[in-house]
Amino acid sequence: MFKPITTAAVIGSGIMGSGIAAQLANVGISCLLLDIVPTQLTETEAAKGLTLEEPAVRSRLASSAIKQLAKTKPAPLYDERFAKRITPGNLEDDLHRISGVDWVIEVVVENLEVKRKLLSDIERYWRPGVVVSSNTSGISINEMTEGRSEDFRRHFLGTHFFNPPRYMKLLEIIPGDNTDPGVVARMTEFAEKKLGKTVVQAKDTPNFIANRIGTYGLLVTLREMIAKGLSVEEVDAVTGPAMGRPKSATFRTLDLVGLDTFVHVANNVFEHVTNEQERAVFAIPNVLKELVAQGRLGEKSGQGFYKKVKGSEGSQILALELDSMEYRPVRKAASGSLEAAKLAKGAQAKTKALLSGGDRYADFAWDVLKQVLLYSAEKVGEIADSIREIDEAMKWGFNWELGPFETWDAIGLPRSVARMKAEGLSIPVWVKEWLAQGNETFYKKEGGVLFQASGLKYKQVNIPPERISLRELKEQNKVVKANSGASLIDLGDGVACLEFHSPNNAIGGDILAMISQSVEEVRRNFAGLVIANQGRNFCVGANLMLLLMEAQDEEWDEIDDIIRLFQSTMYNLKRFEKPVVAAPHRMTLGGGVEACMPADQVIAAAETYYGLVEAGVGLIPAGGGCKELALRASRHAGADGDLQPLLNRAFETIGMAKVSSSGHDAKTLGYLKEHDRVVVNSDYLIHEAKQAVLRMSAAGYEPPLEELIRVAGSEGKAVLQMGAISMRESRYISDHDLLIAKKLAHVLAGGDVPPGSYVSEQYMLDLEREAFLSLCGEPKTRQRMQHMLATGKPLRN
């Protein structure tokens, strides 16, 4: 039995070290952050009369790194308060403290001798049973531990986090030759369930899995680009979403990573592989050498393959011309293959459409892709034991929508291999044998179970039962009801899941209808309901286009009916006699929040960006959002407490359209209740929501009773409005912002009733609806709505 990991020490407080410490703090792990002792005073320290012997100076590097976490964007911490879980220190005074932690992570410079020396120092204070790991991106785990004791080596392994550690889901775990398999299993489970990672087990080879394949692909792309005379932006147009890759594609990715960092990673393979043909691919092209020599390192230096310049009409993006090494305005790439890929739905269809285009971009895509597929196949068994681990590494480490072997299946394995052979390419022996057996895909599904090619057989992929896939349940005919906007899916054990799947999961009449139908179905046949989906975002709000069209046509009765339907649907959901749990993730905005508020409990993903943002389009929440925050203020204040501070907070949150930076921050902003929970690994989100439903049902669930809401009335409204007027006089907000704020104040305070009055929930809903309708009639609100639909950004008018 292994002791649970509750404490850790991170050695090295640079970007990666502090980021790893932040993620440990995010999940509740107390963490030491250690670095070297500075050899010089800063000007500030000297001015204060401090010396190099002062404790604050000796631990300055770690202390500064912790302070920087609050300023870093994107934020490494779920909540700034979590920084208190990180204790700074230094390697001379505090290394002995690692004897009291459960996990030590080395995150120092990528230099074998430096790491060896540090591990020697760590072993002096190491306590048997403590896990020690290195966050190396490519240095040999076995070479690092030369000279260490056998027991130490049994507890040592590589844990390669990707940057930034909070947001990048991949963690490569690399056992050494002597690593205890139990330690590997323990760390895998811990990383998945506690840290929220997707874990792949890599072999101790140069750059492990993701960086090995990813670096190869980027270098192949650059060489094919030069050979074919394509431009930077043409390559990015082909190797981005058209190929199932992120928008950053090739050269924006290199600029983000840093060209010097990329060169270092590529050189690591070049210096450590023995195959001359492979080494030739990893030799650094001259254009990269020249850019690095000139200090053009990408985003961190302001220029790389792209350069952003500010002009009189705003910022402009320039692209590098490789022949002249000068920058010029970006030119948009267009072709039949790119257009076909754009119109296709899903990564599989996009990639097939791109490759079938019959133009030079299609040829370029094929020439790059075929090399990456073959290289990935060649490395099976060398860098990882399974194709699944290579696919997962590329999806979560480089944000590919499909891994190499999934891509191969998507474009047709037998047909593509035949084309490769016709072009004189060498096919790995195992792939030829696999096809010779009559297999046509690397993956297959039977009875809802996934199998992968392994050796010359299909082997079942072991997926934990906690990882519920709605797509797979639908493939297993578990859909109970469905329409164009939503489906009700049987999760098993008497729990159903309402899944949104309209465009952007925006709430319209179809979703509202399915909510009502789901309530009836669950009432008859299920123990409770989960509201969740596995789209890119949970819900971006109500159907803004529909509202705008109705407002432009002055169809006020139609808008009134839409809002009444939304309100009544949410009200009935709240009063439903069986438990309801909402499980939002990522963007959950406006109506998406209001769809969660009626739930008995919200179990949110850690990466949930949650907010009532209607003010950004000139409106106020009208699906119960204002009512629910007023109700919570009433509950919290009780019969005699001061409502005003609570209402001031809600007024500011809604009026400024605040969106949480995480699930934890949603609690801080008051959007989530105290008993609502946050789940770090979104793969387990629906499972956790299902378990919550079952617990409530087993406990004898009773629906919440109708509550009266104590309101601040006319006096509270005046206080809120005075705050808004003051902001207008200080020119923080516009006249239209002030109008919206006055309407919001009227609703949150309960209108013009006497202070301390008790009103019904329906009364508050009526106030919401009236304010919403009146704002729909404002030309400037319609301008805001139109601008948001056209640009995706708010308009301040």
Side-chain angles (χ1 to χ4, degrees), residues 183-204:
V183 171
V184 176
R186 172 196 185 192
M187 293 303 295
T188 298
E189 181 180 22
F190 168 78
E192 289 184 345
K193 293 187 175 178
K194 188 73 173 179
L195 295 180
K197 298 298 179 183
T198 292
V199 175
V200 297
Q201 188 170 318
K203 302 227 173 184
D204 189 16

Side-chain angles (χ1 to χ4, degrees), residues 48 216 225 236 296 303 597 785:
K48 289 180 178 178
Y216 178 91
M225 165 197 178
D236 275 357
R296 295 197 260 181
Q303 56 184 340
M597 282 180 157
M785 295 165 77

Side-chain angles (χ1 to χ4, degrees), residues 168-453:
M168 294 299 289
K169 200 170 178 182
L170 180 65
L171 177 67
E172 292 178 324
I173 284 184
I174 311 100
D177 291 342
N178 302 106
T179 307
D180 184 342
V183 171
V184 176
R186 172 196 185 192
M187 293 303 295
T188 298
E189 181 180 22
F190 168 78
E192 289 184 345
K193 293 187 175 178
K194 188 73 173 179
L195 295 180
K197 298 298 179 183
T198 292
V199 175
V200 297
Q201 188 170 318
K203 302 227 173 184
D204 189 16
T205 56
N207 288 13
F208 312 129
I209 303 175
N211 279 347
R212 182 73 167 268
I213 303 294
T215 304
Y216 178 91
L218 288 165
L219 288 168
V220 163
T221 301
L222 184 53
R223 286 191 166 82
E224 289 295 331
M225 165 197 178
I226 294 170
K228 291 177 170 58
L230 269 62
S231 69
V232 165
E233 57 269 56
E234 284 178 313
V235 170
D236 275 357
V238 175
T239 60
M243 199 185 274
R245 308 282 171 81
K247 289 181 180 178
S248 57
T250 297
F251 294 110
R252 290 189 192 279
T253 295
L254 282 170
D255 278 356
L256 285 167
V257 168
L259 305 193
D260 54 339
T261 301
F262 177 79
V263 166
H264 172 79
V265 172
N267 271 331
N268 191 54
V269 181
F270 180 81
E271 292 167 2
H272 289 92
V273 296
T274 56
N275 182 292
E276 287 305 316
Q277 190 175 354
E278 185 176 7
R279 288 189 85 227
V281 176
F282 285 92
I284 307 302
N286 289 331
V287 62
L288 272 176
K289 289 181 180 177
E290 191 171 341
L291 286 169
V292 172
Q294 294 172 5
R296 295 197 260 181
L297 308 179
E299 274 210 353
K300 60 186 173 185
S301 66
Q303 56 184 340
F305 284 99
Y306 290 98
K307 181 180 181 180
K308 188 175 183 179
V309 295
K310 292 183 178 180
S312 57
E313 298 182 3
S315 297
Q316 183 183 21
I317 303 295
L318 306 179
L320 183 71
E321 193 74 66
L322 265 59
D323 291 338
S324 66
M325 296 297 284
E326 298 293 333
Y327 294 97
R328 53 156 178 77
V330 168
R331 300 170 190 150
K332 187 175 181 181
S335 77
S337 61
L338 289 176
E339 187 60 28
K342 185 177 180 181
L343 294 173
K345 300 294 183 184
Q348 292 186 21
K350 285 180 181 296
T351 305
K352 289 176 73 173
L354 175 66
L355 295 176
S356 303
D359 55 33
R360 67 191 188 112
Y361 293 153
D363 293 341
F364 171 75
W366 168 250
D367 287 338
V368 168
L369 188 59
K370 68 185 181 185
Q371 295 180 69
V372 173
L373 298 182
L374 289 170
Y375 187 72
S376 300
E378 288 169 6
K379 295 301 154 190
V380 175
E382 179 183 336
I383 64 174
D385 281 330
S386 75
I387 64 170
R388 174 82 169 176
E389 280 167 318
I390 293 175
D391 279 347
E392 292 292 287
M394 298 317 299
K395 287 193 290 185
W396 296 111
F398 277 73
N399 292 319
W400 292 8
E401 290 192 49
L402 299 172
F405 298 96
E406 291 171 328
T407 300
W408 220 333
D409 282 355
I411 65 175
L413 176 59
R415 186 175 69 252
S416 58
V417 169
R419 183 177 175 182
M420 292 171 184
K421 286 181 178 178
E423 294 174 3
L425 296 172
S426 176
I427 311 300
V429 172
W430 77 267
V431 175
K432 289 192 287 189
E433 292 177 346
W434 181 254
L435 288 170
Q437 287 189 334
N439 298 307
E440 296 190 349
T441 59
F442 289 118
Y443 293 97
K444 71 172 183 177
K445 275 188 180 176
E446 287 183 356
V449 177
L450 181 65
F451 294 85
Q452 64 174 325

Side-chain angles (χ1 to χ4, degrees), residues 646-714:
L646 301 168
L647 290 180
N648 292 349
R649 181 184 176 197
F651 180 67
E652 180 181 319
T653 299
I654 298 175
M656 296 182 70
K658 289 185 178 181
V659 176
S660 73
S661 61
S662 68
H664 295 85
D665 189 41
K667 273 196 175 185
T668 302
L669 290 175
Y671 287 131
L672 296 184
K673 302 182 291 292
E674 273 305 308
H675 73 279
D676 292 335
R677 288 179 47 219
V678 177
V679 172
V680 178
N681 193 330
S682 57
D683 291 342
Y684 296 91
L685 187 62
I686 294 178
H687 169 77
E688 291 295 325
K690 174 184 172 181
Q691 296 309 306
V693 167
L694 291 172
R695 282 193 296 272
M696 282 187 264
S697 179
Y701 175 79
E702 292 183 5
L705 298 173
E706 170 79 47
E707 289 183 70
L708 291 177
I709 302 171
R710 188 165 74 91
V711 295
S714 54

Side-chain angles (χ1 to χ4, degrees), residues 487-784:
S487 296
L488 185 68
I489 302 166
D490 186 350
L491 296 179
D493 301 317
V495 181
C497 177
L498 177 65
E499 175 203 35
F500 300 166
H501 48 65
S502 63
N504 293 316
N505 289 345
I507 296 176
D510 47 5
I511 286 180
L512 295 175
M514 187 50 62
I515 292 174
S516 297
Q517 292 175 38
S518 297
V519 165
E520 290 303 315
E521 182 67 31
V522 172
R523 177 176 286 126
R524 291 191 299 268
N525 298 313
F526 290 89
L529 178 67
V530 169
I531 302 175
N533 64 73
Q534 291 171 326
R536 177 170 174 76
N537 297 306
F538 177 79
C539 178
V540 297
N543 189 329
L544 192 60
M545 176 63 80
L546 175 62
L547 283 171
L548 177 59
M549 289 191 298
E550 298 290 7
Q552 288 174 331
D553 293 340
E554 298 186 359
E555 296 285 356
W556 310 123
D557 288 343
E558 289 292 329
I559 296 176
D560 186 66
D561 288 343
I562 292 169
I563 303 307
R564 283 180 186 273
L565 177 61
F566 195 173
Q567 290 181 340
S568 64
T569 303
M570 295 303 111
Y571 184 84
N572 292 337
L573 192 62
K574 183 176 181 180
R575 298 282 171 258
F576 187 37
E577 63 268 23
K578 294 192 176 181
V580 177
V581 175
H585 67 281
R586 290 185 61 84
M587 300 301 289
T588 304
L589 305 176
V593 172
E594 291 175 308
C596 295
M597 282 180 157
D600 299 290
Q601 187 176 21
V602 175
I603 297 183
E607 298 303 337
T608 300
Y609 317 123
Y610 201 80
L612 295 168
V613 296
E614 287 84 351
V617 290
L619 298 167
I620 68 160
C626 296
K627 179 262 293 182
E628 283 297 315
L629 291 190
L631 173 58
R632 293 177 192 179
S634 173
R635 281 179 189 158
H636 192 76
D640 303 312
D642 188 359
L643 278 169
Q644 198 65 53
L646 301 168
L647 290 180
N648 292 349
R649 181 184 176 197
F651 180 67
E652 180 181 319
T653 299
I654 298 175
M656 296 182 70
K658 289 185 178 181
V659 176
S660 73
S661 61
S662 68
H664 295 85
D665 189 41
K667 273 196 175 185
T668 302
L669 290 175
Y671 287 131
L672 296 184
K673 302 182 291 292
E674 273 305 308
H675 73 279
D676 292 335
R677 288 179 47 219
V678 177
V679 172
V680 178
N681 193 330
S682 57
D683 291 342
Y684 296 91
L685 187 62
I686 294 178
H687 169 77
E688 291 295 325
K690 174 184 172 181
Q691 296 309 306
V693 167
L694 291 172
R695 282 193 296 272
M696 282 187 264
S697 179
Y701 175 79
E702 292 183 5
L705 298 173
E706 170 79 47
E707 289 183 70
L708 291 177
I709 302 171
R710 188 165 74 91
V711 295
S714 54
E715 291 183 8
K717 170 183 168 180
V719 172
L720 296 177
Q721 291 188 344
M722 281 303 298
I725 290 168
S726 175
M727 291 184 72
R728 177 66 192 105
E729 289 175 349
S730 302
R731 298 186 179 181
Y732 287 119
I733 62 175
S734 68
D735 287 335
H736 193 54
D737 291 325
L738 179 59
L739 173 65
I740 298 163
K742 286 182 175 180
K743 300 278 186 184
L744 177 60
H746 180 75
V747 175
L748 283 175
D752 293 316
V753 298
S757 297
Y758 284 85
V759 300
S760 68
E761 290 187 49
Q762 186 58 54
Y763 169 85
M764 295 294 287
L765 291 173
D766 290 341
L767 290 183
E768 281 187 0
R769 192 177 64 259
E770 290 162 6
F772 189 94
L773 278 166
S774 67
L775 287 168
C776 282
E778 294 289 334
K780 287 188 176 181
T781 285
R782 294 198 291 274
Q783 289 171 13
R784 289 190 179 193

